[in-house]
C-alpha cells in the first residue's frame, strides 16, 4: 500500500445535443467540462478514516477498527455484482447511516463508505486515511458533480490499494492511467453513482473518466476519436428543476402527440449526428468560421425543439435572448426547465464582448463560467502542480 499523498482530479460534463431524445433511444453527445473536482488522499497510521467535503459542509471520521468489524459480505465484489437498492439499504443499516438518507450530503458519505469498504477490503487490514474533496462544479445543476466525485474516489482508492499502478513518474506534473485501468476506475465509479442516483445511465461517469467527447446511445458509449477544443459560456440559471418530472413530461407529450413529437426526437438525433460530423471535421483540419456557423445553427434548432418538447423555461429564454443580443447562440443543457445552458464562444470573439455578455447574464441573477469543453478525464497530479486556490481549498483555508 502506498504511503504518500495522492492528488487526483476529474471533470464534470455537459450534454451538447441529445438530452431527452436519448431517453427514447436517440444519440446524445456529452463532453467533459473544464470545471473539475479535486481529491487529496493522505494515508495515516492514526486508526481513523476521515472524509472532508468542504463544498457541502461534510466533515466525518470513523474508527478503522469499527469499520473493520462491519459485515459487508452482502456487497459482493462490487465491480462485477450489480449494486441493488436493497444492498444500498443494507449498507445504510450496517454503516449506521440514517434510513431516510436521500439528500446529496448523506448520499456522498454513503458512496464514500461503499467505495472505501469494497475497494479496500482486499487488503489485510482497512487503511487509515484522510480524504478531502473540493469541486469547482456546482452540485445539483446537472453538470455531473456526483460522477466526478465517484470517479476521483475510485481512482484514488484503487491506486492506494495498488489495484492499479500510480502512473505519475518522478518529476511529472500530471499523468493519466492506461485504458485498461480507466475501465476499472469507470466500473467502480459507476457503482458509486448507483449509490447516489439509483439507476444512472453511466454517461456521466464515463465522460468524467475518459474526458474529451463521447457519443452515447442505448447504453453504448464511444469516445469521439477527435474533438476540437471548443470554448463555451456555461450559465446556471439557478432555477431548480426535477429531471425525473421533466423526463416524464416529455414521455407524456410523446404519448399524446406521437405524430408530432416523434419527428422532433428524430430531428434532435440528426442534430447530434451532424454535430458529431462537424466536430470530427474541425478536429481533422483547422476549424473554419463556417464550422462555427453550423454549430450555432444546430444549437438554435435544438433549443427550439426542446422548447417544443416542453422543457424550456422563461429563465432559459432570457439566457438565449441576452446572449443573442451579443450575437451568441445558446441552448439548455441537461434536463431543462431551468438548470444550466451553454453558449458557444467563437474563437474570433474579442474578450470585452465575452465580458459584456457575462455581465449581462450575471445581471439576470445567473452564475456564469467561461470554460472549455473536451477537458482531460481523471488525472493524477504532483502536489506542486495544482494552482494555489485549489491547494488552499483542499487545505480548508
Ligand atoms: C439529463 O442530464 C439528461 C436527460 O436526457 C435525462 C437522461 O438522459 O437520463 C434529460
Amino acid at each position: 500500500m502506498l504511503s504518500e499523498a495522492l492528488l487526483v482530479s476529474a471533470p464534470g460534463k455537459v450534454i451538447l445535443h441529445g438530452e431527452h431524445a436519448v431517453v427514447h433511444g436517440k444519440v446524445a453527445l456529452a463532453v467533459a467540462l473544464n470545471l473539475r473536482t479535486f481529491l487529496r488522499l493522505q494515508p495515516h497510521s492514526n486508526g481513523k478514516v476521515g472524509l472532508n467535503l468542504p463544498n457541502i459542509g461534510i466533515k466525518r471520521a470513523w474508527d478503522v477498527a469499527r469499520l473493520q468489524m462491519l459485515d459487508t459480505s452482502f456487497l459482493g465484489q462490487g465491480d462485477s455484482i450489480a449494486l441493488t437498492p436493497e444492498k444500498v439499504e443494507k449498507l445504510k443499516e450496517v454503516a449506521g447511516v440514517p434510513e431516510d438518507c436521500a439528500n446529496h450530503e448523506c448520499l456522498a458519505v454513503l458512496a464514500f463508505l461503499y467505495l472505501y469498504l469494497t475497494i479496500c477490503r482486499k487488503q489485510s487490514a482497512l487503511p487509515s486515511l484522510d480524504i478531502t474533496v473540493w469541486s469547482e462544479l456546482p452540485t445539483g445543476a446537472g453538470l455531473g458533480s456526483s460522477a466526478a466525485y465517484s470517479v476521483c474516489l475510485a481512482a484514488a482508492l484503487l491506486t492506494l490499494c495498488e489495484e492499479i499502478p500510480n502512473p505519475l513518474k518522478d518529476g511529472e506534473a500530471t499523468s493519466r492511467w492506461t485504458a485498461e485501468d480507466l475501465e476499472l476506475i469507470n466500473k467502480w465509479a459507476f457503482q458509486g453513482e448507483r449509490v447516489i442516483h439509483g439507476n444512472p445511465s453511466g454517461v456521466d461517469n464515463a465522460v468524467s473518466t475518459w474526458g474529451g467527447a463521447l457519443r452515447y446511445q442505448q447504453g453504448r458509449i464511444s469516445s469521439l476519436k477527435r474533438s476540437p477544443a471548443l470554448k463555451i459560456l456555461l450559465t446556471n440559471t439557478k432555477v431548480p428543476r426535477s429531471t425525473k418530472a421533466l423526463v416524464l413530461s416529455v414521455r407524456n407529450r410523446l404519448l399524446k402527440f406521437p405524430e408530432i413529437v416523434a419527428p422532433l426526437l428524430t430531428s434532435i438525433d440528426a442534430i447530434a449526428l451532424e454535430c458529431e460530423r462537424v466536430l470530427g471535421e474541425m478536429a481533422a483540419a483547422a476549424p473554419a468560421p463556417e464550422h462555427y456557423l453550423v454549430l450555432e445553427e444546430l444549437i438554435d434548432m435544438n433549443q427550439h425543439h426542446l422548447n417544443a418538447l416542453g422543457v424550456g423555461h422563461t429563465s432559459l429564454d432570457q439566457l438565449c435572448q441576452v446572449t443573442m443580443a451579443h450575437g451568441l447562440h445558446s441552448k439548455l443543457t441537461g434536463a431543462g426547465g431551468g438548470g444550466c445552458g451553454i453558449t458557444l464562444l467563437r474563437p474570433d470573439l474579442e474578450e470585452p464582448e465575452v465580458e459584456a455578455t457575462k455581465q449581462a447574464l450575471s445581471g439576470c441573477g445567473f452564475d456564469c463560467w467561461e470554460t472549455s469543453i473536451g477537458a482531460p478525464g481523471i488525472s493524477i497530479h504532483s502536489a506542486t502542480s495544482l494552482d494555489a486556490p485549489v491547494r488552499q481549498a483542499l487545505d480548508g483555508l
Side-chain angles (χ1 to χ4, degrees):
M1 181 142 358
L2 302 178
S3 57
E4 71 270 30
L6 296 170
L7 282 165
V8 301
S9 76
K13 69 95 189 34
V14 290
I15 295 182
L16 281 188
H17 291 291
E19 49 273 275
H20 288 290
V22 69
V23 176
H24 304 277
K26 310 298 188 197
V27 168
L29 288 186
V31 292
L33 197 54
N34 205 14
L35 290 173
R36 302 181 77 83
T37 292
F38 296 86
L39 178 150
R40 183 181 55 210
L41 185 158
Q42 179 66 60
H44 274 309
S45 51
N46 63 359
K48 299 264 185 215
V49 178
L51 178 68
N52 305 310
L53 309 176
N55 300 80
I56 54 173
I58 295 279
K59 197 168 171 62
R60 295 280 307 267
W62 298 265
D63 283 327
V64 171
R66 195 183 87 71
L67 294 177
Q68 190 83 51
M69 277 158 51
L70 300 179
D71 177 10
T72 52
S73 53
F74 64 92
L75 289 169
Q77 287 308 307
D79 55 342
S80 56
I81 293 173
L83 187 65
T84 59
E86 293 72 35
K87 287 182 186 173
V88 175
E89 287 310 308
K90 181 103 174 98
L91 177 65
K92 285 182 194 169
E93 194 185 308
V94 300
V97 171
E99 217 177 289
D100 60 355
C101 160
N103 57 35
H104 57 259
E105 289 87 355
C106 193
L107 290 170
V109 171
L110 197 63
F112 163 72
L113 282 175
Y114 167 74
L115 290 172
Y116 170 79
L117 290 170
T118 44
I119 291 176
C120 300
R121 71 173 160 189
K122 287 188 194 150
Q123 306 296 311
S124 50
L126 286 173
S128 177
L129 50 86
D130 244 329
I131 283 188
T132 302
V133 186
W134 175 79
S135 187
E136 296 168 335
L137 291 157
T139 43
L143 298 180
S145 61
S146 69
Y149 171 69
S150 296
V151 170
C152 282
L153 280 176
L157 291 169
L158 287 166
T159 306
L160 175 79
C161 296
E162 297 178 337
E163 294 283 320
I164 54 177
N166 182 343
L168 194 70
K169 304 279 169 294
D170 275 351
E172 271 184 342
T174 290
S175 187
R176 304 204 57 219
W177 285 268
T178 62
E180 199 185 330
D181 296 337
L182 291 176
E183 288 281 354
L184 191 63
I185 293 171
N186 188 48
K187 257 188 194 172
W188 279 101
F190 183 52
Q191 300 293 333
E193 273 283 86
R194 282 181 135 153
V195 174
I196 298 172
H197 288 305
N199 200 16
S201 65
V203 67
D204 286 13
N205 49 278
V207 177
S208 193
T209 302
W210 275 286
L214 295 183
R215 163 210 251 256
Y216 182 85
Q217 187 173 28
Q218 290 182 323
R220 289 191 308 277
I221 296 170
S222 55
S223 268
L224 265 59
K225 291 200 178 45
R226 293 176 303 219
S227 65
L230 293 181
K231 280 176 70 184
I232 58 161
L233 266 190
L234 175 68
T235 302
N236 186 0
T237 66
K238 299 194 265 183
V239 173
R241 79 283 182 277
S242 156
T243 301
K244 203 169 160 191
L246 287 155
V247 167
L248 189 65
S249 72
V250 172
R251 186 175 299 283
N252 288 340
R253 195 168 274 197
L254 177 62
L255 290 173
K256 192 169 171 190
F257 305 112
E259 303 281 309
I260 299 169
V261 176
L264 288 175
L265 300 177
T266 305
S267 179
I268 291 175
D269 191 59
I271 289 172
L273 293 175
E274 178 63 4
C275 182
E276 185 182 359
R277 190 191 66 74
V278 175
L279 292 179
E281 224 176 77
M282 290 170 82
E290 298 72 48
H291 290 129
Y292 289 95
L293 289 177
V294 175
L295 292 182
E296 288 177 340
E297 276 188 272
L298 296 176
I299 285 174
D300 290 344
M301 288 191 284
N302 197 359
Q303 177 61 14
H304 287 302
H305 285 345
L306 289 160
N307 273 322
L309 291 178
V311 296
H313 188 270
T314 48
S315 62
L316 293 163
D317 294 342
Q318 199 181 5
L319 161 65
C320 292
Q321 281 155 13
V322 167
T323 54
M324 186 49 80
H326 291 83
L328 303 176
H329 299 248
S330 308
K331 69 175 274 291
L332 67 85
T333 183
C340 285
I342 50 172
T343 306
L344 183 67
L345 296 177
R346 294 182 310 270
D348 61 307
L349 277 169
E350 303 284 349
E351 193 48 39
E353 194 58 32
V354 178
E355 225 17 75
T357 312
K358 277 163 75 175
Q359 284 199 357
L361 292 168
S362 305
C364 302
F366 303 155
D367 283 344
C368 204
W369 300 266
E370 193 180 333
T371 182
S372 58
I373 55 179
I378 180 78
S379 305
I380 186 157
H381 311 277
S382 70
T384 48
S385 68
L386 294 183
D387 290 343
V390 176
R391 289 205 303 266
Q392 284 166 5
L394 288 172
D395 287 341
L397 299 176

